[in-house]
Amino acid sequence: MSATPWLLLLCLAGAAGGGVLQARAQPDSKGFITIDCGFEGETVVDNFTTLAFVPDNGEFTDDAGTCHNISAENITPSMGATWYNVRSFPAGARNCYTLRSLVPGLKYLVRARFKYGNYDGLNRLPIFDLHIGVNYWHTVNISSPEAAKNVEAIVVVPDDFVQVCLINTGAGTPFISGLDLRPLKNTIYPQATKAQGLVLLARFNFGPTDKYDVIRYPHDPHDRFWFPWVNSVLWREMSTTRKVHNMNPDLFEAPPAVLRTAISPRNDIQIQFSWEPQP
Ligand SMILES: *[C@@H]1O[C@H](CO)[C@@H](O)[C@H](O)[C@H]1NC(C)=O
Ligand SMILES: *[C@@H]1O[C@H](CO)[C@@H](O)[C@H](O)[C@H]1NC(C)=O
Ligand SMILES: *[C@@H]1O[C@H](CO)[C@@H](O)[C@H](O)[C@H]1NC(C)=O
């Protein structure tokens, strides 16, 4: 019953124009799908994460989108090769990736990755929308050619597939560098339900960490990205090599690598965070 309107809306959206791409990429043994968009080679196993990045070329039933390399001046030695290429969608108002062989009713982390890198030689930073199925997810607003942007949501997927769609809003050509899907347990992130998803604002690992050391899989089995936030002037930083026990019940399953570093107030200065709520 609940799946019917969802499917109907998807069909209407498909008929209204734009390509519906069929990524044949199946989840791997962990249930992960990791797509290197616009890459024209074979699947590459990344040495740091041990994850297999599958190309999207030839994984489609139609030929929507075009592959591009980012421009050489935006490539740095430390940058992962998955940022080297993009798929762009100059035609159609709505172009979708379809991720298949999912477990209906299960909670998933969905992450889209973007680096413009002046791939089109136009030096024109695009703005476009992302949808998950028919639902608005995020407006991608590229701030500079070299900026790497990760957009993430945690959603309960009602069907055995989910679509991630790039919507042309008339402010530049949509493009994408990578797309990830990770299964979660339904017990964690209880705020994400059938009725609402969670959109990521930021996720930080506090405490003394190498400032380039992003924690992700295999150190986080859910492959969330934990960016370091280090400030030993403002905060007292601490770490341990001992076992750290999570709270029970553990609703977020932060990995030990993240929990082993922490901050506390220095002198009488409070630890304060602020953020801009977005609709
Ligand atoms: C990854 O590891 C393999 C085997 O150790 C090595 O041949 C390859 O050069 C490495 N790739 C990168 C990008 O470091
Ligand atoms: C991107 O670069 C690779 C390696 O340099 C090359 O083989 C490929 O043809 C390039 N692709 C495009 C679309 O220019
Ligand atoms: C995109 O970002 C620029 C600069 O940060 C901002 O001025 C502009 O309002 C943003 N546009 C949208 C549609 O979010």
Side-chain angles (χ1 to χ4, degrees), residues 44-234:
V44 175
V45 176
D46 174 65
N47 284 0
F48 289 103
T49 58
T50 71
L51 296 174
F53 286 74
V54 300
D56 61 358
N57 203 32
E59 295 284 343
F60 298 96
T61 55
D62 59 6
D63 245 348
T66 49
C67 298
H68 299 270
N69 291 328
I70 65 169
S71 69
E73 70 263 24
N74 288 294
I75 294 181
T76 60
S78 62
M79 184 174 123
T82 171
W83 296 114
Y84 290 2
N85 27 258
V86 305
R87 180 175 291 271
S88 77
F89 299 96
R94 174 188 174 90
N95 286 280
C96 303
Y97 283 77
T98 305
L99 307 175
R100 298 185 177 282
S101 302
L102 310 191
V103 180
L106 189 65
K107 203 169 280 186
Y108 286 89
L109 181 156
V110 183
R111 179 170 51 224
R113 297 178 271 112
F114 306 89
K115 188 193 279 275
Y116 168 62
N118 196 22
Y119 74 85
D120 52 4
L122 298 173
N123 254 318
R124 210 176 290 150
L125 306 173
I127 302 174
F128 53 91
D129 284 357
L130 291 177
H131 287 188
I132 294 182
V134 295
N135 299 301
Y136 172 83
W137 176 11
H138 186 80
T139 298
V140 180
N141 187 349
I142 301 297
S143 58
S144 72
E146 67 278 6
K149 196 173 167 64
N150 300 299
V151 179
E152 189 187 299
I154 292 174
V155 290
V156 175
V157 173
D159 302 298
D160 64 356
F161 68 92
V162 70
Q163 289 196 310
V164 174
C165 303
L166 292 86
I167 314 295
N168 189 325
T169 53
T173 301
F175 76 93
I176 185 166
S177 306
L179 184 59
D180 302 331
L181 179 114
R182 308 288 181 247
L184 300 172
K185 295 177 216 164
N186 274 348
T187 48
I188 66 173
Y189 293 98
Q191 297 83 356
T193 64
K194 279 187 187 130
Q196 64 175 19
L198 276 178
V199 176
L200 178 70
L201 195 67
R203 182 185 293 111
F204 291 112
N205 175 28
F206 291 98
T209 309
D210 186 303
K211 67 177 172 165
Y212 299 110
D213 195 4
V214 178
I215 291 173
R216 59 173 298 187
Y217 189 86
H219 303 291
D220 182 346
H222 303 305
D223 194 30
R224 290 162 292 187
F225 295 174
W226 301 83
F227 287 90
W229 190 343
V230 180
N231 192 330
S232 56
V233 176
L234 221 49

Side-chain angles (χ1 to χ4, degrees), residues 7-20 94 96 131 133-134 163 165:
L7 279 173
L8 179 63
L9 282 170
L10 285 176
C11 295
L12 289 173
V20 174
R94 174 188 174 90
C96 303
H131 287 188
V134 295
Q163 289 196 310
C165 303

